[in-house]
Amino acid sequence: EFIACGTIDGTVVVYERNAPEAIRHFKAHEWEVTGIAISADGRRVATQSSDRYFALWEVDTGRQIQIRHGYAELTALVGDHDW
């Protein structure tokens, strides 16, 4: 199980649930991360940012799977168990 957080500089930090040290850092956005969700299987992280992009990432590698640009500043991020 993982816990993920986004930072003001656009970085995503991933922790194992009971571990004190981060297992992964990756630059996700140019601006601050304003929303984050982890897939039910723990393999992917979805992020959103004030830069008007939202993206999907692999937790193990930090590789970007997909990115989309929104038309306005995003204010919410919701996940589905199948993504």
Side-chain angles (χ1 to χ4, degrees):
E1 295 180 336
F2 297 102
I3 298 170
C5 63
T7 67
I8 197 165
D9 71 354
T11 300
V12 169
V13 184
V14 180
Y15 298 85
E16 286 188 20
R17 185 172 156 228
N18 295 317
E21 300 293 323
I23 60 165
R24 177 99 42 247
H25 295 79
F26 55 91
K27 183 72 170 171
H29 297 276
E30 292 300 313
W31 297 2
E32 68 267 14
V33 176
T34 58
I36 195 162
I38 299 176
S39 63
D41 63 9
R43 295 181 357 196
R44 291 173 292 281
V45 173
T47 61
Q48 70 182 38
S49 173
S50 294
D51 62 10
R52 299 183 179 175
Y53 283 92
F54 56 100
L56 189 61
W57 310 86
E58 288 182 345
V59 169
D60 287 344
T61 64
R63 181 180 73 87
Q64 186 182 82
I65 299 168
Q66 191 173 70
I67 190 164
R68 296 278 192 246
H69 189 263
Y71 295 103
E73 188 170 332
L74 299 166
T75 59
L77 181 67
V78 177
D80 180 311
H81 70 285
D82 290 332
W83 52 281

